[in-house]
Amino acid sequence: MDFEQADALNQAIRLLSLRHRARAAALLAPLGLHPGQEALLLELARTGPMIQAELSEALGCEPPSVTLMTRKLEAAGHVRRTPAPSDRRASVVELTDSGKALVGQIKRLWCALAGETVTGLPAQTVAELPRILRALAGNVDARARRPHGSGTV
């Protein structure tokens, strides 16, 4: 790939990421949430209670980030943390009734954001986007694990 093509691709991905996050922040702010917190709440809604370390893995976040998010969401009354029965050093995180109610609002906002993001694209392209974006994320993850200079660029 030549530089011009690489630059165009990297710039498009960067701009999409920045603008999507900014739009998500604007939509989440009236709910008292910051980007990332909605993903944590949605994950708990999908899976049920989880140990924080598992939640960190599921979200692809560093454990300290998940700890900070859970503390803030707990202070707001949206999640509850309790000691894990198998390991008192670990915390199990679960949604409260407030968190469950908030998940419904988040889902509506997420649908609106996705709709805004793909406006004007053909339905077939929209259907293929999750697979393509997961593949791109997987490529970046796989390359991040390789030492610099090994493999092709």
Side-chain angles (χ1 to χ4, degrees), residues 31 33 38 41-42 102-110:
L31 300 179
L33 296 174
E38 83 292 346
L41 294 169
L42 289 169
L102 194 55
V103 165
Q105 294 176 291
I106 293 168
K107 286 180 178 182
R108 285 188 291 281
L109 291 177
W110 237 216

Side-chain angles (χ1 to χ4, degrees), residues 72-97:
K72 289 181 177 183
L73 291 168
E74 184 178 39
H78 303 311
V79 300
R80 174 182 313 110
R81 293 185 303 158
T82 56
S86 60
D87 180 355
R88 292 291 190 192
R89 295 169 297 167
S91 293
V92 175
V93 183
E94 65 181 313
L95 290 173
T96 62
D97 288 342

